[in-house]
Amino acid sequence: MSDPKDHYWSCPYIEGGLSLSYNDARACAVVQNGRGRPVLQKVQVGGSLDLDSIFRKKSEIREANQSEERYPDCRGCPRLELRHWPRRKETFDWIGITNYVYCNLACDYCWLTYAPYSPMKDTKNRPAQVYQVKELIDRLLSEKRILHGAVVDWGGGGEPTLNPDFDDLFHAFHRIGALQWLHTNAVRVPKGLGQITVDEDRLRILCSLDAGSAEVYYNIKKRDRFETVVRNLHAYRDLGARVVLKYIVVPGNATESEARRFVDIAQEIGVATIITDVDYNAPVPTPEVLATLRAMKVLA
C-alpha cells in the first residue's frame, strides 16, 4: 500500500523535470494561462547550477501547490494532479534543453526572428558563455541523477543540433537508454546520428515543415531549404526514428491545396503523426486559417 503522505497535488515536471535554457533552469517548459515555466534557479555569467538549491525550490513549489491558490506559475495548469506520487530521490526523468541562441532559419512567426529582445538579435541577450550545459549534464550522469530511460526534450526555440555540445550529449543520453525528442527544422542531420542504432523508442523527430512546396516554405522561413529538409526527414526515417510533422497555419500557407501537398509529403516520408497549430501572435484564427485546419484534419 502507498503512503498517504505521497498523495498530493503535483505534476511529472515538478517531480522529475529540469528545463535548461541559456540563462536559467526551470521545472518545465509549459506556458499556460499567461504563466508557467516556474524558475528553479537563474544562471549567472560563469556560474553553474546549485542542485541543492534546485531541489529546495522544487519542494517549495510542491508545498505551495497544496493550497487553493497554488504556486503562482502553476496556477490554472491542467497538468496538476491530485494523486499518489512515488517517493524518489533527487533525480530527473525529464530533461529539456532549449537554447534560444542558434538557428539557421528565420520563421516569420517565431519571436527569435522578430522580437527586439531575442537572444539571436541582441547580443546583450546572448551570453553564449553561460549556455554551456555539457558540464552540468556530465555531472548529473556521473551522479546517476538522470534515470535510465528518461525523456530528453531537445526543445523548440532555436535549432538544437547547432549546439556545439549536441553530438556528445546526444550520445551520452543514448547510452542511458533515453528517449530523445528532437525538435528540429531538419535543415541538417548531425553526422553523429549515423554512428548509432536508433528506433522509435529512442529517437523521435518533431519538425515544423509548415508547407507543401518550396515557394511557400521560403515565404515563411526566408531560406531556400525545402528540398533539403524533405530529404533529411526521409533520412531520419531511414535511421529508424519516428517522424512527427507540424503545420503552423498562417496566412501564407492557409490553402487547402498547400495542405494537400503537405499531407502527400508526410505520407511519402512515412510520418506517424501530424500536428496542426496557429500563430500565437494571431490567436483568433481567420476564416481561411480555420478552413485550412478543417481541411488538414480531413486530409490527414
Side-chain angles (χ1 to χ4, degrees):
M1 295 181 64
S2 61
D3 188 331
K5 293 180 180 178
D6 298 335
H7 195 85
Y8 53 86
W9 287 96
S10 193
C11 83
Y13 297 113
I14 295 170
E15 296 300 306
L18 179 65
S19 178
L20 302 170
S21 70
Y22 67 94
N23 60 357
D24 58 31
R26 299 174 182 253
C28 73
V30 178
V31 178
Q32 46 79 31
N33 299 322
R35 293 184 292 276
R37 304 180 65 233
V39 175
L40 299 173
Q41 185 180 324
K42 286 289 185 180
V43 179
Q44 302 300 320
V45 174
S48 60
L49 293 179
D50 179 344
L51 290 177
D52 291 336
S53 174
I54 281 177
F55 288 115
R56 283 196 301 271
K57 186 65 177 180
K58 279 178 171 281
S59 295
E60 176 189 325
I61 294 170
R62 190 182 294 111
E63 182 176 349
N65 279 328
Q66 307 319 304
S67 69
E68 291 186 2
E69 290 79 15
R70 311 287 189 225
Y71 187 76
D73 289 335
C74 300
R75 193 176 301 141
C77 183
R79 289 168 175 80
L80 282 176
E81 299 179 74
L82 177 61
R83 68 171 177 85
H84 171 259
W85 297 94
R87 290 190 180 183
R88 59 190 303 155
K89 295 182 179 179
E90 295 176 337
T91 56
F92 303 101
D93 58 14
W94 181 86
I95 301 289
I97 303 177
T98 306
N99 63 63
Y100 300 115
V101 172
Y102 315 100
C103 198
N104 44 14
L105 294 179
C107 304
D108 55 16
Y109 53 71
C110 180
W111 69 274
L112 290 169
T113 297
Y114 64 77
Y117 50 84
S118 162
M120 287 174 49
K121 292 178 70 68
D122 187 345
T123 55
K124 297 194 302 294
N125 293 321
R126 189 181 179 180
Q129 68 272 30
V130 175
Y131 195 64
Q132 296 172 351
V133 297
K134 186 177 185 304
E135 182 179 350
L136 170 65
I137 296 299
D138 287 344
R139 174 187 170 192
L140 294 177
L141 290 170
S142 68
E143 296 179 1
K144 299 190 182 332
R145 291 185 183 270
I146 302 177
L147 299 180
H148 181 84
V151 174
V152 177
D153 202 333
W154 295 93
E159 172 52 35
T161 67
L162 294 175
N163 187 316
D165 295 324
F166 176 82
D167 279 357
D168 288 343
L169 291 176
F170 187 93
H171 284 78
F173 289 132
H174 186 75
R175 286 193 291 271
I176 65 166
L179 165 58
Q180 300 192 64
W181 270 99
L182 183 54
H183 298 240
T184 177
N185 56 37
V187 169
R188 62 190 298 271
V189 177
K191 293 181 180 179
L193 264 64
Q195 301 169 2
I196 58 177
T197 300
V198 299
D199 57 37
E200 293 191 355
D201 294 327
R202 305 293 294 279
L203 177 60
R204 298 182 183 177
I205 302 300
L206 176 55
C207 178
S208 196
L209 184 60
D210 303 327
S213 64
E215 179 182 3
V216 170
Y217 183 92
Y218 180 85
N219 289 339
I220 294 173
K221 299 177 182 289
K222 308 301 183 285
R223 301 288 188 274
D224 184 14
R225 299 290 185 272
F226 182 76
E227 301 298 337
T228 298
V229 169
V230 172
R231 183 170 62 251
N232 287 342
L233 290 170
H234 277 284
Y236 275 120
R237 281 292 296 134
D238 291 343
L239 283 171
R242 176 175 181 175
V243 175
V244 176
L245 284 189
K246 191 173 182 180
Y247 195 96
I248 298 177
V249 186
V250 296
N253 64 8
T255 65
E256 182 176 340
S257 59
E258 192 68 16
R260 185 178 297 276
R261 285 191 286 266
F262 170 87
V263 172
D264 287 345
I265 290 171
Q267 187 173 18
E268 292 170 7
I269 295 170
V271 166
T273 305
I274 288 173
I275 297 174
T276 55
D277 207 344
V278 296
D279 182 355
Y280 292 169
N281 297 304
V284 180
T286 65
E288 292 78 14
V289 168
L290 286 173
T292 304
L293 289 168
R294 287 193 294 268
M296 183 71 77
K297 184 174 180 63
V298 173
L299 291 167

